[in-house]
Each structure stands twice: as C-alpha cells, then as structure tokens.
Amino acid sequence: MKSGSNLEKILRAGHFAFTGELGPPRGADIDAVRKKAKFLVGSVDMVNITDNQTAMVRMSSWAASLIAIEEGLEPNYQMVCRDRNRLAMQGDILGASALGVRNILCLSGDHMQFGDHPYAKGVFDIDSIQLIYMVKKMRDEGKFLGGADIDTPPKLFIGGAANPFADPFEWRVYRLAKKIKAGADFIQTQCVYNMKKMREWIKQANDMGLTEKVYILAGVTPMKSLGMARYMKLKVPGMEVPDDVIKRLQGVEKKKQADEGIKMACEQIEEFKEMKGLAGVHLMAIEWEHKVPEIAERADMLPRPEV
Amino acid sequence: MIVAERKPFEEIKALVKDFNRVLTVGCGTCVAVCLAGGEKEVGILNTELTIARKVDGNPIELGGVTVERQCDMEFLDELDGMIDQYDALISLACGAGIQFLAERFPDKPVLPGVNTTFIGANRDVGWYEEKCRACGNCCLGLTGGICPVTMCAKSLFNGPCGGTNHESCEISPDQPCAWHMIYERLSKQNRLDSIIEIFPPNDWLNTTPRTIVQPAYKERKAAR
Ligand code: SF4
Ligand code: SF4
C-alpha cells in the first residue's frame, strides 16, 4: 500500500470503484459542507473536494477535506497549479497528509479568466504533470522537490485527470502515459458523453499497456436538463457533447429530462463496468449531491464494498 | 522587439498636470517601429497636450526630441543642456528606456507616456504579437519553435491541458492553443520524441533583476 486510502484498498482488491464530488461553498459555512457530505456517505468510496473550481474563490479544498473526514467520507484533495507555487503546495501536502488526507488529485486548474478574479496572477510555477512527479518524489523518495530530506514523508494516493475529448486526440494517450510515468496511481477522466471516442481512447491505453499501470475511472455527469446539455456543449472548454445526447433529451418533456439524464448516466455506467481497462466511475453530480444515493442505487453500485 | 502602447491621453494629461514646461522624449528603435513612441508619436502627443491645456486655460510649453535609443546612455548625452529649461520629461520609450532617462537626469521628474507591453513580433503593419517572456531558459529547441511559457495561457511545460477547444486555447476561440500547435509542428517534423519526455519543473530565472556581462567585458565592469 502506498497510501492506505480507501480508494487504494478498493482498487487493489479488484472492486469497481465509485467516487463522487463535493464543491466547497462560497462562504465559511461548515454546515454547507456537512449537508452535502451526508448525501454522499455510504454511496461513494471517495469524494473529490474541488479547489477553487472554475477559478471562483471557495472554501479551501484542504479545509473542506477535513470536514469530509469528520463526516465519515474519504476526501480526494484536489490541488490546482494556478493558485500556489511549489513551496505552498509542498507545505499543504504535508499538512493534509498529517491530518489524514490520503488521496490527492493534481490539476492545472481552469484559467483565472473564467472566475471572479479574472486579473489574478496565475501562478503555474509547475504544471499538473510536474505536480504528480513532485508528490511522488515526496512520498516515495522522502524528498522535497528541492532535494532535501523529509523526516516524515506524506502518504497519498496520487491522482491525475485525463481528457480524451480535447484535441489533439492522437496525443491524449501519450499525455496519459506521461502522467503515469510521472507517478499517477489513478486517473479520473473528463465527463464522458462521446462513448465512441472513449472506447477508442481506452483501447489505445490498453494497447500501450497503460491500463495495467494505472487505475482509470471514467467521468460521468448526468444531465439535469436540455439546457445544461446545450451549455456543456457550447460553453465548457474541452467538453464534447454529441448531438445524439442533445436529441435524446429533446425527445422527452421538460419535467422528465432530469430522470432521462440519470437513465443515460446509468446506461453509461453499465457499459463502463464491462469495459476492459476501466477500474471505476467518477460521478460528478454538480450541485446535485442529494441525487447521488439514487443514482448509485439505480446504477447498481450499492452497497459499497468494505475493505 | 519591445512592443509598447501609448497610454490613454487622459492619463498622460493627469501625469503632467502640475508642470508647465515639459520635454517629450521619443525613442527611435522598438517603440518607433511599433508606432508608439517614435518621432511621429512625439509630435502627435505634444499637439494633443497643447490643445487640451489651452482649452483648460492652463497652457503648457512643450518640447519634443527623439533619440536613437533611450536604453543606451551614450544616446542620452545629446539631451544635456536641453533639459534645464523643462520642469519634467515625458518618455515614450519602453520601461528600460524610461528608467535610463530617469537615471541620467535624476533631478527631473520623468513620466511614462507608454505602457510597455511585451517582447513581440510584427505580424503585419500595426499588428504585433507577444512571443517571449524572457524566461532565461529557452526551450524552443524542444517545442518546435513555439514558446509554451508565452503562448500557453498557463505556461505549461507538459501540455496540452484538458481545456483545449478544437485548436483553440480554453481562454478564447481566437487564441490558438500553443500545445496544439507544438504537437502539430513536431508531428510534421517527426520530432514528437522531444515532448514525450517529461519536462522537469522549470528553474525560473526571471524572479530577480538580471545582469549580463559578456566574458570579454568582465574586467571592464570590475574596473568601474
Ligand atoms: S522559452 Fe519562451 S519565454 Fe523562455 S526565452 Fe524561449 S521564447 Fe522566451
Ligand atoms: S488550451 Fe492550450 S494554450 Fe490554453 S492553457 Fe491549455 S494547453 Fe495552454
């Protein structure tokens, strides 16, 4: 065991993992985090705690991670390269590990321009792949990036993201290989809607032997409405929403679109369970935490394994 | 070259509001090429200021001169003797030129007339693009001659990120994704090998003021 995290244990035991997501509030309300967390306990193996997601200031991801632990949820501490340099990152990594955080997700972060402080200085001292490398070096070699010894190295299961739908498609699997080489233990993908491309990407990863070296969790976000599907298609960079998804939602009356969205997500999950090279699903039910138990139930993911 | 943009007129006017005799100093090199601070722009600014101050009932006496390069002390000598008649100087040179002018005439207020914007290239007449952030550690040899520090909105060394939108950067459909371009160019040259390896964390060499003394001139510097 590299980290002893619940996710690591579940994956090593060969179970199909199911992870969730929790966005911290735009305020100091601890109950807002507790409330969201309560919906997720028992339904997922681990929950990603986002880090100033879409470049909007929110309660820090390490603080919300600690609240999640108190609520009985295992956090996946997200860390973006946008907001801190290598000194701050390493300090936060040590602190998080000391307080019981066992998973970390290393991300570049959305550009500042998308958020509520568009002219903030983007730090980007290191990038997401270099961050993965840095955490691995801290954990496995017991050394800081600068080379000095760490007396008590952090224990973290290291995650990265992959977006098979962003161009250039042919390069995406090589970038995955770079993340694995840097030290990623698990990968969570961008929300999948284009199943054809996903199958192709996983096949490439299988052919290159990458899926034997890393656990890949496919990203699933159920559509709440036709409007959301259209927004995702047009406004979210790097997101690919094929026309048949839009058409299917168009085909049902407005009241039933959310239900149809969940149905579509469950169908995807069914296919992912059988897809060679996938080790789990990462459910990003954005501002829909209360629906997670229902989705988990309908996707036949319950009960979650105890390891 | 260094690309600059003239400051908004109202800002320059506010900077000189307490002065009645001002010398506007242009620069004949980069800022002249990018149409921000050469001889012509000195004339235009002075005309605008003269009219505005007359309208305000507070006339200003302006002089104009353009030196070859403000970032070279040698060329500032020609201003000796001219400076005394003025209360303040406006410099239309880049930030380096403005600071040299201020250093050369430390008793005079020196005010910037341009915003120095970037190291860039001339795409077409009046059209400039940023190309280099002077990181001090040039990696263009590995990235197909496209700078990830400057051209990638997140200065990623191991891109492209997940935000790439077709061929554009996530920040705007009008901004090409640097890493998409790097991939395309290296792919055509059969040189993708050079980005398959992980670029290690960069040593940022541009966080302190830098000085370069060419080896042949080290002794000369020591003697000063
Ligand atoms: S890598 Fe980019 S910023 Fe650095 S010196 Fe080269 S062109 Fe300039
Ligand atoms: S989309 Fe391309 S240029 Fe923009 S931040 Fe990502 S890698 Fe950099």
Side-chain angles (χ1 to χ4, degrees), chain A residues 86 108-111 113-114 124-127 129-130 145 163 166-168 170-172 174-175 178 181-182 237-238, chain B residues 153-154 156-166 170-171 180 183 192 195-202 204:
Chain A
R86 60 190 83 177
S108 309
D110 296 319
H111 195 269
Q113 191 186 285
F114 293 101
F124 302 112
D125 176 23
I126 57 176
D127 66 24
I129 292 182
Q130 294 162 346
L145 189 58
N163 185 357
D167 290 312
E170 316 77 61
W171 185 248
R172 290 293 159 180
Y174 291 98
R175 190 148 188 271
K178 282 178 87 164
K181 197 164 169 205
Chain B
K154 300 177 192 166
L156 305 180
F157 279 91
N158 296 281
C161 75
T164 315
N165 221 349
H166 304 293
E170 67 176 34
I171 61 161
H180 196 282
Y183 170 81
L192 285 171
I195 54 168
I196 201 104
E197 289 305 321
I198 296 169
F199 275 79
N202 192 37
W204 296 106

Side-chain angles (χ1 to χ4, degrees), chain B residues 131-140 147-150:
Chain B
K131 291 292 173 200
C132 172
R133 295 259 167 98
C135 76
N137 209 352
C138 196
C139 66
L140 288 175
C147 172
V149 178
T150 313

Side-chain angles (χ1 to χ4, degrees), chain A residues 3 20 80 88 102 180:
Chain A
S3 68
V80 298
R102 288 290 169 265
I180 298 168

Side-chain angles (χ1 to χ4, degrees), chain A residues 115-133:
Chain A
D116 57 352
H117 295 77
Y119 294 106
K121 183 173 183 358
V123 180
F124 302 112
D125 176 23
I126 57 176
D127 66 24
S128 59
I129 292 182
Q130 294 162 346
L131 173 56
I132 292 171
Y133 164 85

Side-chain angles (χ1 to χ4, degrees), chain A residues 105-289:
Chain A
L105 189 72
C106 306
L107 304 168
S108 309
D110 296 319
H111 195 269
M112 300 69 72
Q113 191 186 285
F114 293 101
D116 57 352
H117 295 77
Y119 294 106
K121 183 173 183 358
V123 180
F124 302 112
D125 176 23
I126 57 176
D127 66 24
S128 59
I129 292 182
Q130 294 162 346
L131 173 56
I132 292 171
Y133 164 85
M134 182 169 84
V135 184
K136 185 176 162 66
K137 179 167 176 158
M138 292 173 77
R139 181 190 67 194
D140 295 351
E141 294 173 37
K143 288 201 187 301
F144 289 112
L145 189 58
D149 290 334
I150 303 176
D151 54 19
T152 306
K155 287 182 82 169
L156 288 160
F157 203 43
I158 307 171
N163 185 357
F165 313 104
D167 290 312
F169 178 70
E170 316 77 61
W171 185 248
R172 290 293 159 180
V173 75
Y174 291 98
R175 190 148 188 271
L176 170 68
K178 282 178 87 164
K179 291 202 175 182
I180 298 168
K181 197 164 169 205
D185 300 309
F186 69 99
I187 294 287
Q188 292 173 317
T189 76
Q190 171 70 291
C191 318
V192 182
Y193 296 105
N194 184 340
M195 294 296 279
K196 188 168 161 265
K197 221 178 218 179
M198 182 66 179
R199 289 179 205 119
E200 213 172 309
W201 180 74
I202 275 287
K203 184 176 179 309
Q204 292 173 349
N206 283 331
D207 292 348
M208 283 170 67
L210 300 177
T211 50
E212 283 153 33
K213 297 186 193 147
V214 77
Y215 299 105
I216 300 180
L217 279 62
V220 172
T221 292
M223 293 292 189
K224 292 189 214 177
S225 64
L226 178 61
M228 170 174 170
R230 287 208 176 109
Y231 178 83
M232 299 266 257
K233 184 183 176 79
L234 296 175
K235 295 277 177 253
V236 183
M239 184 79 71
E240 195 178 328
V241 182
D243 290 334
D244 53 343
V245 171
I246 307 267
K247 281 207 194 95
R248 187 160 158 193
L249 289 166
Q250 265 167 344
V252 294
E253 55 179 301
K254 203 155 184 207
K255 286 208 313 280
K256 296 201 174 135
Q257 281 169 359
D259 192 67
E260 190 67 15
I262 294 179
K263 206 193 268 173
M264 289 158 78
C266 291
E267 289 166 16
Q268 285 186 295
I269 296 173
E270 278 315 307
E271 179 171 348
F272 289 145
K273 285 185 199 166
E274 304 302 322
M275 202 179 273
K276 179 175 175 270
L278 279 186
V281 160
H282 176 52
L283 180 71
M284 289 165 274
I286 305 156
E287 294 305 320
W288 230 22
E289 287 83 357

